[in-house]
Amino acid sequence: MTESAAPCWDLSLLYPAADAAQLRHDLAAAASAAARFRAAWHGRLADGQLSAAALRSALQDYSALQLLALRPYLYAQLLFCSDGSDPSHLRLLAEVRESWQQVSEATLFVELELLRLPAVRFAELRSDRQLAAYGHFLDNLRVHAPYTLSEEVEQALKRKDLTGREAFVQLYDELCASLRHRFHLPGEAAPREVTGEELLALLYHPQRDVREAAFATYLTDHGEQALVLTSCFNNLLLDHGKEVELRGYPDRMTPTCLSSETSPELVENLLAVSEAHYPLAQEYFALKRTLLGYAQLKNTDLYAPLTETPRHFPFAEALALVDEAFAAFHPELADAVRPLAGRGRLDVAPRQGKSGGAFCMGLYPGADPFVLLNYTGTLRDVTTLAHELGHAAHYVLAGGQPLLNYHPSLPLAETASVFGELLVTRRLLASEADPQLRISLLCAKLEEIIATTFRQAMLTRFEQKAHARRDRELLGSDDLCALWLEENARLFGTEVTMIPAYRWGWSYISHFVHSRFYCFSYVFGELLVLALYRRYQEEGAAFAPRYLDLLRAGGSASPAGLLRPLGISLDDPEFWAQGYAVIRAMLEELKALVKATGGSGGD
């Protein structure tokens, strides 16, 4: 697929260019509106006599101000992701971040004053019907009360972040976007510069030496930047540790747990159950080694195709597959995302300077989301497309929520994306008669689930241990490499051998830099979706409307509250184990297919 033939973002839907006069006008308008808002409301929200009507008016103004400031901020982020090598994109991103910082400082008092309200008065306001639309926002806000500092200190922390935490995040992003990898791609006459995504895509190449060489090149090039990458990690870990101490959080994960409306106990249970099922992953690794006919399985073989000519999916075919799978579940799910490609909301092909990986950025209610891919035509790319369009459907369906309830909370953020992957996989399995291709499809799906449950649990454990170690001492690159190999070895057991360059695997996991302890949400989301899909299999079409209601709710209630109508209790100690029971059933289905075709499917 050539870049010219692939859909690209049309960011002119937001602004015509990075130097557009309208963008500067909006930045100035946001700053002026923030000053007016502060003059109108500062000091009033902490008043015990504040009425519900007045608070509703303040929150309406607050939401309108957030919308005004969001548009240029999101545009600059998307522009940088489309080409992070363009200096004008870097300058604009720095400019809008500083502008956003000023607006955030001016409006910081909203949360702080509401937190200072007496508990009895806060409860009275929270229960008033005039504030029903803001109930979840107020609940989420209140749990941070014990850890919130004075307005002056909070403003100082925000200013510090511009040249502290955010500066190191920006340095990491710029460095990773600038990396150039020289590699001899299969079928080409000579080595050339390729993107990181092109190298990672070769982990699915049928030739073993190509897979290992590509991943080793990618990792080694990151390792050559160890000085900067290690410095970024050290300073971000230290920054978080100091803020935790300053605010009095009981542990390093508490801020993430509060923001995600979970608890450290829930997360620990989730991780412990996952670790207890590591042998399930190792059982699959042993089967994959047998299917490949290898005496030893390397970590570069985990995603190897089972045939020399794995199927290639043109993007148009992949898009049609996702559309069909979504529509078969419920037409409204397909309708939510069908127009996006024609509206300039998809950016598909890999290219130099473009951000790696894939994501879906929800903007604000009523605005179509933007989806970034690095599509190369593999089966994995098809399910990645389904994943990101699932996110997009979630945002579109939640478009009826007000801004403060628009984004789903962290544990539910992957609900629609992982469900979309399952829908597409099952559709492919249902339409495929060739048992060898069915085996390949099941392997691919199990590998994705393992990556989204066991691997993400491992990543969370690595992150926990890195933070704990940084509390005691400065971490060298060798320390981070040793921690990384140790946690991976617990997952791989004796079934998988890691290539030497894999010691640098920690350095390219951007979640460690952008969103502390985010990785546990993938485990949560995957196991939750497996349970939801099981309900769908049991209930059929009657399940779909209730599932769509869950997506439409956005972030309007806690995860526990939103899932209760679906009969799911997150406090049930058996809940997470049920998800792994579904994985076990898929593994047994795969073994039966292998045995039926004359292979070795185990006992």
Side-chain angles (χ1 to χ4, degrees):
M1 177 178 60
T2 63
E3 288 187 21
S4 59
C8 290
W9 283 338
D10 180 6
L11 297 183
S12 67
L13 294 165
L14 297 175
Y15 293 102
D19 59 354
Q22 184 61 46
L23 190 151
R24 266 71 196 178
H25 175 273
D26 287 352
L27 289 175
S32 298
R36 291 194 303 273
F37 178 83
R38 184 177 179 85
W41 292 106
H42 186 263
R44 294 180 59 190
L45 302 183
D47 186 349
Q49 302 303 311
L50 180 74
S51 70
L55 179 54
R56 182 183 63 181
S57 179
L59 292 176
Q60 287 172 339
D61 291 349
Y62 179 66
S63 297
L65 173 58
Q66 296 289 315
L67 280 172
L68 185 60
L70 265 175
R71 188 181 179 92
Y73 184 80
L74 294 171
Y75 170 76
Q77 286 188 313
L78 291 166
L79 199 62
F80 174 78
C81 291
S82 68
D83 185 1
S85 64
D86 189 322
S88 69
H89 298 176
L90 293 172
R91 287 193 297 271
L92 178 62
L93 188 58
E95 181 184 354
V96 298
R97 280 180 170 169
E98 292 173 16
S99 176
W100 180 266
Q101 187 73 14
Q102 292 169 0
V103 171
S104 297
E105 283 187 32
T107 59
L108 182 60
F109 73 92
V110 173
E111 298 182 4
L112 299 177
E113 290 190 19
L114 289 174
L115 289 174
R116 289 202 299 269
L117 276 170
V120 173
R121 182 58 186 147
F122 184 91
E124 290 173 350
L125 290 168
R126 170 66 180 86
S127 62
D128 194 296
R129 286 186 298 177
Q130 295 183 79
L131 291 168
Y134 301 99
H136 186 233
F137 168 77
L138 293 170
D139 288 342
N140 252 347
L141 183 62
R142 195 67 176 180
V143 299
H144 293 276
Y147 314 109
T148 303
L149 307 172
S150 69
E151 183 174 358
E152 293 76 13
V153 174
E154 293 288 354
Q155 286 181 331
L157 288 173
K158 282 188 173 292
R159 291 175 186 175
K160 177 269 299 178
D161 284 345
L162 273 177
T163 53
R165 178 174 62 200
E166 291 183 19
F168 281 104
V169 171
Q170 182 66 19
L171 175 60
Y172 176 88
D173 287 345
E174 290 181 26
L175 176 62
C176 291
S178 71
L179 288 181
R180 299 291 181 264
H181 309 281
R182 189 158 186 81
F183 192 75
H184 194 163
L185 289 171
E188 296 193 2
R192 63 175 175 86
E193 283 191 350
V194 299
T195 67
E197 288 303 314
E198 288 176 294
L199 287 180
L200 292 177
L202 291 174
L203 285 171
Y204 300 83
H205 195 275
Q207 295 178 21
R208 195 179 200 190
D209 58 340
V210 171
R211 295 194 300 270
E212 184 168 347
F215 201 32
T217 297
Y218 181 78
L219 293 165
T220 301
D221 287 348
H222 279 77
E224 290 177 355
Q225 305 298 326
L227 178 65
V228 178
L229 293 172
T230 303
S231 180
C232 287
F233 269 67
N234 263 300
N235 282 285
L236 289 168
L237 294 172
L238 179 64
D239 178 272
H240 182 58
K242 292 301 181 185
E243 185 162 337
V244 164
E245 291 176 10
L246 181 64
R247 295 185 181 279
Y249 289 118
D251 60 52
R252 298 296 179 262
M253 283 197 71
T254 297
T256 300
C257 289
L258 292 177
S259 298
S260 62
E261 300 177 87
T262 55
S263 67
E265 294 77 17
L266 186 153
V267 174
E268 182 56 37
N269 285 338
L270 174 65
L271 296 177
V273 170
S274 298
E275 290 171 313
H277 285 84
Y278 276 1
L280 183 59
Q282 293 160 13
E283 188 177 341
Y284 173 75
F285 297 148
L287 179 59
K288 181 67 178 281
R289 174 178 55 78
T290 300
L291 289 170
L292 290 170
Y294 295 160
Q296 176 192 55
L297 191 74
K298 297 182 181 181
N299 63 314
T300 47
D301 301 323
L302 295 178
Y303 308 113
L306 299 180
T307 63
E308 283 295 313
T309 55
R311 183 175 171 187
H312 177 82
F313 293 84
F315 180 73
E317 180 183 348
L319 194 61
L321 273 169
V322 174
D323 182 80
E324 291 167 7
F326 283 19
F329 174 75
H330 195 285
E332 191 173 348
L333 191 65
D335 291 344
V337 295
R338 190 174 290 137
L340 296 182
R343 292 178 180 171
R345 303 289 172 151
L346 303 186
D347 196 321
V348 172
R351 60 177 179 272
Q352 294 287 358
K354 179 180 175 180
S355 292
F359 66 77
C360 173
M361 183 180 287
L363 305 184
Y364 37 79
D368 286 335
F370 281 85
V371 173
L372 179 139
L373 302 165
N374 281 274
Y375 190 87
T376 59
T378 66
L379 176 61
R380 173 175 173 261
D381 288 336
V382 177
T383 55
T384 297
L385 174 64
H387 183 103
E388 301 307 336
L389 289 181
H391 277 307
H394 203 161
Y395 283 124
V396 171
L397 291 169
Q401 294 290 337
L403 177 65
L404 297 179
N405 291 341
Y406 176 55
H407 289 275
S409 60
L410 185 61
L412 298 183
E414 302 299 327
T415 303
S417 55
V418 178
F419 200 86
E421 290 183 45
L422 274 172
L423 290 173
V424 166
T425 298
R426 281 298 170 188
R427 185 159 190 86
L428 283 166
L429 283 167
S431 62
E432 185 54 66
D434 185 337
Q436 293 297 337
L437 286 177
R438 288 174 60 81
I439 288 172
S440 294
L441 284 167
L442 274 171
C443 283
K445 189 58 204 169
L446 279 166
E447 286 157 13
E448 288 170 1
I449 292 175
I450 288 169
T452 316
T453 52
F454 297 117
R455 176 172 163 78
Q456 297 300 325
M458 179 275 294
L459 294 180
T460 305
R461 286 301 195 207
F462 166 81
E463 195 173 4
Q464 287 176 326
K465 292 183 178 180
H467 276 270
R469 181 80 174 271
R470 184 63 182 89
D471 288 347
R472 302 193 301 271
E473 60 187 347
L474 184 73
L475 293 173
S477 58
D478 287 343
D479 299 319
L480 289 165
C481 290
L483 280 175
W484 176 255
L485 294 176
E486 176 186 315
E487 287 306 308
N488 276 270
R490 293 180 63 225
L491 170 58
F492 291 147
T494 59
E495 298 297 338
V496 179
T497 300
M498 293 175 275
I499 65 170
Y502 192 56
R503 67 194 300 265
W504 299 110
W506 57 271
S507 66
Y508 75 93
I509 309 298
S510 61
H511 285 320
F512 295 156
V513 171
H514 292 126
S515 307
R516 287 180 301 272
F517 304 114
Y518 181 86
C519 295
F520 90 84
S521 69
Y522 285 108
V523 191
F524 186 117
E526 183 76 47
L527 295 179
L528 170 63
V529 167
L530 289 172
L532 290 173
Y533 195 82
R534 180 183 242 174
R535 295 284 174 87
Y536 171 50
Q537 288 177 315
E538 294 169 352
E539 300 176 20
F543 173 82
R546 290 189 292 137
Y547 176 78
L548 293 177
D549 285 343
L550 173 66
L551 302 188
R552 276 191 281 266
S556 59
S558 68
L562 291 175
L563 292 169
R564 198 171 295 119
L566 291 162
I568 291 174
S569 172
L570 300 180
D571 296 325
D572 183 353
E574 295 300 316
F575 172 73
W576 306 115
Q578 289 174 10
Y580 287 112
V582 176
I583 299 172
R584 161 61 67 189
M586 293 182 71
L587 180 56
E588 295 303 324
E589 181 182 356
L590 172 62
K591 285 182 176 181
L593 267 174
V594 171
K595 188 173 183 179
T597 57
S600 176
D603 296 335

